Amino acid sequence: MAQPAAASADQAPATIEPNYVVISADCHGGANIVDYRPYLEPRYHDDFDAWRTSFENPYPDIEGDDAERNWNSNRRLAELEADGVVAEVVFPNTIPPFFPKTSLMHQPPGASDGDLERRWAGLRAHNRWLADFCGDAPGRRAGICQIMLHDVEGSVSEIRWAAEAGLTGGVLLPGAPPGSDVPPLYAPEYEPIWSVCEELGLPINHHSGSAAPDYGDYPAAQAMFLLEVVWWAHRTLWHLIFSGVMERHPNLQFVFTEQGTAWLPEEIARLDYYHHRLSGAGAAAGSQESKFGGAMGALSLKPSEYWARQCQLGSSFIRAAEVPLRDQVGVERIMWGSDFPHLEGCWPYSHQHLRLAFAGVPTDEVRAMVGGNAARVYGFDLDALAPLAARFGPTVAEVAQPLGVEDIPDDSLRCPAFASARFLGG
């Protein structure tokens, strides 16, 4: 049998690119409600037992056998691996003790009501459960600590505990919408929170949904929520910039998650424009607007420069039409997420979604957006994850293969990225 010809000096063997290390920067989890009890201080156990007896779960997607995706560590690892994901950032999902619904959403009571102490205990129980849950998969989960804006001193203590407990996901910043009875995020009361997070090197995460107000019990309420929910999250960006939080804490990193991607270039341009007007720069000197912008004098940078220095975008199930904007957003700022186990996420079709979004994008940019950026922000070890990626991660060749509209699974259309590609062309 003839032997294959040896490669000549100018024909080196082809190099095989290693699989992508895929880290989902947006996943959700939490304990089964009964399993929060051991994490509560004993003095709350009787109250918890009474609360659990009357509790009614408002979310069908965390009932039944599939609800255990939130807390069954082995099942969760297996399902994420099958989806090509080898590590994850864990936002809350199930309902912590003494809350009527998930803590991401605004809800009564206000700061002056009497149930705050118990709810704070419930959040602390979740944080302690989450530390153990992340410990079940070392190096593969970055858990996010929950705090309460009603108690700044207690939040600072909880943040210090979280750093010691290994919750490398940082801190979930709640919103302060109208009616929440807490100062807005641009108020000076929160300075100790910004300071301790900067000191400890913990990122501050702001997730869509956590800043929206109560829309009331009206037939159109859910539609209004969907139309407006990301705007309430977006406004946190200008609250933090124009109040000088980023100026005073230049090493503090902020992550804006599941808020879309396409909004950013236009919004940053708008903020730069307002900064110019409010600061009285150039032709705006002496203008009426500059009389309202006294705080602008303390800012040494433009909003776009604060964004480039301190902000990241958790681009959950990024739409294909948004990817061409990556240079305007910052390739090094975009972190892909599957939103597991939410029904609107791209799980369990992340392989297809990566093809839909990133086919034709340079390999080094894809590596950054699907894992490298998240590793930098949340402290994942890419070398340690590489053997898992070799087993479960998508190959460079696979992601480079465009996904045709005809290949989009029908069941994936619950995810906006797939739906927009099939019906809107992007």
Side-chain angles (χ1 to χ4, degrees), residues 6-343:
S8 64
D10 60 347
Q11 290 180 321
T15 300
I16 299 176
E17 290 271 13
N19 294 12
Y20 287 116
V21 178
V22 179
I23 300 170
S24 174
D26 182 23
C27 287
H28 295 263
N32 191 3
I33 287 177
V34 66
D35 292 333
Y36 279 126
R37 191 179 192 276
Y39 293 94
L40 284 165
E41 299 161 60
R43 62 195 174 104
Y44 292 107
H45 285 177
D46 289 345
D47 286 348
F48 174 81
D49 294 340
W51 170 78
R52 182 174 166 243
T53 299
S54 60
F55 174 76
E56 295 183 7
N57 179 18
Y59 302 111
D61 64 336
I62 53 174
E63 289 186 330
D65 292 340
D66 288 341
E68 70 172 7
R69 291 188 176 112
N70 286 283
W71 59 79
N72 184 322
S73 185
N74 291 334
R75 176 176 177 176
R76 188 179 182 100
L77 288 172
E79 294 195 355
L80 285 171
E81 289 167 355
D83 206 33
V85 176
V86 297
E88 58 171 329
V89 180
V90 186
F91 286 86
N93 199 40
T94 62
I95 298 161
F98 309 118
F99 280 76
K101 52 187 176 181
T102 177
S103 55
L104 271 176
M105 310 297 293
H106 168 58
Q107 53 203 299
S112 61
D113 294 321
D115 203 32
L116 288 173
E117 178 188 340
R118 296 196 311 166
R119 293 194 185 182
W120 204 182
L123 290 186
R124 293 197 301 270
H126 170 83
N127 292 339
R128 281 144 186 77
W129 172 87
L130 183 59
D132 283 350
F133 187 66
C134 292
D136 287 340
R140 301 185 66 181
R141 293 176 180 144
I144 294 177
C145 170
Q146 295 194 74
I147 61 172
M148 254 191 167
L149 296 180
H150 307 77
D151 182 1
V152 172
E153 183 179 354
S155 291
V156 169
S157 296
E158 189 70 1
I159 292 166
R160 290 194 179 280
W161 172 87
E164 294 176 0
L167 290 180
T168 58
V171 174
L172 179 63
L173 179 63
S180 60
D181 293 339
V182 294
L185 293 176
Y186 50 80
E189 283 87 337
Y190 304 124
E191 190 65 21
I193 292 175
W194 317 134
S195 294
V196 71
C197 287
E198 184 178 38
E199 173 196 337
L200 299 172
L202 294 176
I204 289 180
N205 304 271
H206 192 62
H207 194 286
S208 178
S210 60
D214 184 354
Y215 280 81
D217 187 18
Y218 301 102
Q222 298 236 5
M224 297 305 107
F225 171 81
L226 188 62
L227 287 166
E228 299 175 0
V229 63
V230 294
W231 180 86
W232 288 101
H234 292 170
R235 74 179 194 147
T236 297
L237 175 62
W238 54 85
H239 285 193
L240 295 171
I241 291 176
F242 286 152
S243 64
V245 173
M246 296 186 190
E247 173 71 24
R248 295 190 300 275
H249 303 281
N251 295 316
L252 186 53
Q253 296 295 303
F254 297 87
V255 183
F256 298 84
T257 299
E258 201 177 335
Q259 302 179 25
T261 304
W263 67 280
L264 216 291
E266 183 177 351
E267 189 56 53
I268 288 295
R270 187 181 77 92
L271 296 180
D272 276 355
Y273 172 66
Y274 270 95
H275 174 259
H276 182 83
R277 289 170 56 183
L278 290 168
S279 64
S287 68
Q288 184 64 27
E289 284 111 338
S290 68
K291 297 178 182 179
F292 292 91
M296 298 302 104
L299 303 183
S300 63
L301 302 176
K302 297 186 296 185
S304 57
E305 293 169 327
Y306 289 112
W307 171 265
R309 186 177 75 180
Q310 293 177 249
C311 300
Q312 342 285 327
L313 199 62
S315 296
S316 311
F317 46 84
I318 187 171
R319 292 169 173 81
E322 295 177 308
V323 175
L325 299 172
R326 64 191 182 277
D327 288 329
Q328 298 176 55
V329 175
V331 170
E332 73 284 2
R333 301 287 154 195
I334 294 173
M335 300 185 294
W336 176 89
S338 68
D339 202 26
F340 174 89
H342 285 175
L343 296 177

